[in-house]
Amino acid sequence: MTSSSSLEARAISRYVRVSPYKVRRILNQIRGRSYQDSVILLKYMPYKVCSIILKILFSAVSNAKQSFGKNDNLFVISEARADEAPFLKRFRPHAQGRGFPIKKRMSHIIIKVKVV
């Protein structure tokens, strides 16, 4: 017989062109919440990254349904994290002929859902 802690599915989105600092601000809000609550929060938050996180969350729940055949109401977000990805290096002209480096950051977003 399997324990409920092993019933966990995940979804990963790599090289998302959003800074991990901006993604973590949203992920901290949904971590530990139920799937239904998280969807409601993400739909009404005014940030660009919410639509990206919502797609990843839908994918994780879809993976869980495919693997375990459980209902939507039973899922809780067990892990939500944004890791640093390689960044794009760009330069902006500055005073006296110098170049000012700009880092265009990217993220790897990982969401895991488990059955309660």
Side-chain angles (χ1 to χ4, degrees):
M1 188 158 155
T2 60
S3 66
S4 64
S5 64
S6 66
L7 297 179
E8 193 170 62
R10 69 178 182 170
I12 300 173
S13 184
R14 297 185 187 276
Y15 304 103
V16 179
R17 205 20 219 103
V18 179
S19 169
Y21 306 112
K22 294 178 182 178
V23 179
R24 286 183 194 125
R25 176 177 58 180
I26 308 303
L27 292 179
N28 290 338
Q29 297 295 315
I30 65 169
R31 188 178 299 115
R33 291 186 188 258
S34 70
Y35 168 67
Q36 304 292 342
D37 291 346
S38 301
V39 170
I40 291 169
L41 271 174
L42 290 171
K43 281 190 177 180
Y44 293 106
M45 280 185 166
Y47 305 110
K48 168 192 159 186
V49 75
C50 288
S51 60
I52 297 167
I53 294 173
L54 196 58
K55 285 182 186 179
I56 301 167
L57 181 60
F58 286 154
S59 178
V61 169
S62 178
N63 292 342
K65 281 185 191 175
Q66 195 72 18
S67 299
F68 313 126
K70 301 288 184 180
N71 192 3
D72 285 353
N73 301 330
L74 301 175
F75 294 121
V76 170
I77 298 173
S78 60
E79 183 180 341
R81 71 175 202 260
D83 297 332
E84 183 99 14
F87 49 82
L88 301 173
K89 295 177 183 175
R90 300 291 182 258
F91 285 91
R92 179 181 174 87
H94 255 234
Q96 299 178 355
R98 292 184 174 91
F100 182 74
I102 294 176
K103 296 177 184 176
K104 294 186 176 270
R105 298 184 184 275
M106 291 187 279
S107 307
H108 298 316
I109 304 171
I110 299 152
I111 295 180
K112 290 184 182 179
V113 294
K114 70 177 180 181
V115 179
V116 177

